[in-house]
Amino acid sequence: DTENDVKSLLEKESEQLRVTYGIRADFRFAPGFAHEEIDLMQQELKADLVIMGIAHGSALSDYLLGSTTVSFIRHAHCPVLVIPGEVHFIRPRRILYACDYDSRNTPAVLHPLKDLATIFNSRVYVLNVVKNGEGFPVQKSIEGIHIDEYLETINHIFYFPENESVVDGITRFVNTHDVGWVAVVPHQHSWYERVLNKSTTKKYLFHENRPVLVLPDHMRFGDTVQ
């Protein structure tokens, strides 16, 4: 009975998407662990983008269990657009790319950001929050040159605000520059590190009120979004 009820709800949702927005929508049902089934479906369909919601949880669940969305992001092989529960989708005139100048932020990783910025005619702010008085290492400067080259065909600009907290620095910039979306590239951490020290990406996902575009640092299905 539960399965039939869920399928009925999915069918109604698909029909509503078709009627309201004029798009073709299909639905699937699969029993199992949500993040695993979504991952399998993404691989089967070779999906270019996964869109998910997220709700704020308790401190304990944030640290140890997380949510279906966060669990999926840890293993995602395609971009994931995360939309908080009370946020409506908006066309992003400005996209903030929260950048750590890691060498893994390659053209393949950043290509979906370029594609979406081109589609929406968005300006991209490349932001790196630095601690007060901290210098900018040579390696970061080199990676910055590479990123500038990757994004040369879209409207983009670099910012380096000072703040002791990366999340606070991002939040302040988002609120003062009317940013529509935030793009991040989460890098893999061990389970032990995740328990003791939540990643910047996860902290941001649970505290921000903007859609967050998560770009995995490894692409399984080619180098570009179709």
Side-chain angles (χ1 to χ4, degrees), residues 80-84 181-184 204-205 208 210-214:
V80 184
L81 181 62
V82 182
I83 303 180
W181 291 8
V182 176
V184 294
Y204 198 80
L205 289 174
E208 194 41 64
R210 302 291 202 286
V212 176
L213 178 66
V214 181

Side-chain angles (χ1 to χ4, degrees), residues 60-115:
L60 180 61
S61 67
D62 285 0
Y63 272 103
L64 297 180
L65 300 178
S67 68
T68 297
T69 301
V70 173
S71 297
F72 176 75
I73 286 171
R74 287 176 184 159
H75 307 286
H77 291 88
C78 77
V80 184
L81 181 62
V82 182
I83 303 180
E86 298 181 359
V87 173
H88 295 286
F89 176 87
I90 60 171
R91 190 180 186 91
R93 293 182 301 161
R94 302 176 183 89
I95 300 176
L96 170 63
Y97 167 37
C99 180
D100 58 2
Y101 291 91
D102 190 287
S103 60
R104 288 170 290 185
N105 300 347
T106 62
V109 172
L110 297 181
H111 200 95
L113 174 62
K114 285 183 62 175
D115 278 355

Side-chain angles (χ1 to χ4, degrees), residues 93-101 123-131 134-136 140-141 143-145 147-148 151 155-163 166 169-179 181 183:
R93 293 182 301 161
R94 302 176 183 89
I95 300 176
L96 170 63
Y97 167 37
C99 180
D100 58 2
Y101 291 91
R123 188 176 196 184
V124 174
Y125 297 145
V126 182
L127 182 82
N128 180 255
V129 179
V130 296
K131 291 185 178 181
E134 183 180 63
F136 203 72
K140 279 192 174 184
S141 299
E143 294 303 327
I145 293 172
I147 291 170
D148 191 33
L151 303 180
N155 185 357
H156 67 283
I157 187 170
F158 290 80
Y159 282 91
F160 305 92
E162 291 189 348
N163 199 300
V166 173
I170 294 172
T171 302
R172 287 174 180 269
F173 191 91
V174 166
N175 293 333
T176 56
H177 289 76
D178 192 26
V179 169
W181 291 8

